[in-house]
Amino acid sequence: ITDPLNKLAIEANNIRVLNLDGPTLPHTMFDELNQVVDSFAKMKVGLRSFRKYVPTDLVVGMIQSGQEANLGGKKEDVTIFFSDIAGFTSMSEKLTPDQLVKVLGDYLGAMSDIIMNREGTLDKYIGDAIVAFYGAPMPVEDHEKKACSAALKMQERLEVLKEKWKSEGDWPDIVYEMQHRIGLNAGKMVTGNMGSKMRMNYTMTG
């Protein structure tokens, strides 16, 4: 029984730090341990979904500190990133709901990858808009430069996306003409948990 228990202990520690990408543990000859194995597998599925809603670095840091999330923040030097699609209302009026979801999914997915690949933290989506920041919850060296690099790369990626949509065909011309706007601002901001005791959001203001 020692070997499967040791494996369960290792798996529990991996889950504690949100290391959720490893394989599922195999079943053992003990029914009681198999129930724990199945519970761990379901827990990992749920936490992988949860991880998509919040910055992973933030949650791991909170777990390691042993502190529960509370309202409040601290002043930090960060770069704020905003972007949105120009004329999005007009475009949404010309697309079916399914088409709009598809275009937004392609767009937000591609742009978010660029932000995160340069150590940015995704704050939220507001319809077609993306709010992100560089330098929190973990320090980012040259965060201003990385935010500018992301903005330039997003301009390039939008042109690639438009070519992709053209190759698929069957889209209104306004999709092929899409442009987006990007704004950056660097300086001292307050970053932390804001909102209410019932529902809070890790974000920045300043």
Side-chain angles (χ1 to χ4, degrees), residues 131-143:
V131 183
F133 43 92
Y134 290 76
M138 304 297 292
V140 174
E141 187 176 356
D142 294 329
H143 54 83

Side-chain angles (χ1 to χ4, degrees), residues 70-147:
N70 293 304
L71 290 173
K74 59 180 180 179
K75 187 178 289 186
E76 298 182 280
D77 188 36
V78 300
T79 299
I80 299 178
F81 175 103
F82 299 95
S83 72
D84 73 344
I85 297 172
F88 178 72
T89 300
S90 298
M91 186 176 75
S92 64
E93 291 171 348
K94 292 178 171 61
L95 298 176
T96 68
D98 288 343
Q99 287 178 322
L100 189 61
V101 169
K102 173 67 166 59
V103 168
L104 273 181
D106 287 350
Y107 172 81
L108 294 176
M111 302 307 158
S112 299
D113 286 345
I114 293 170
I115 292 169
M116 292 187 292
N117 287 340
R118 286 159 178 77
E119 299 182 75
T121 297
L122 278 172
D123 184 345
K124 61 178 72 74
Y125 302 120
I126 308 173
D128 60 306
I130 302 172
V131 183
F133 43 92
Y134 290 76
M138 304 297 292
V140 174
E141 187 176 356
D142 294 329
H143 54 83
E144 303 94 337
K145 182 177 180 180
K146 287 175 180 173

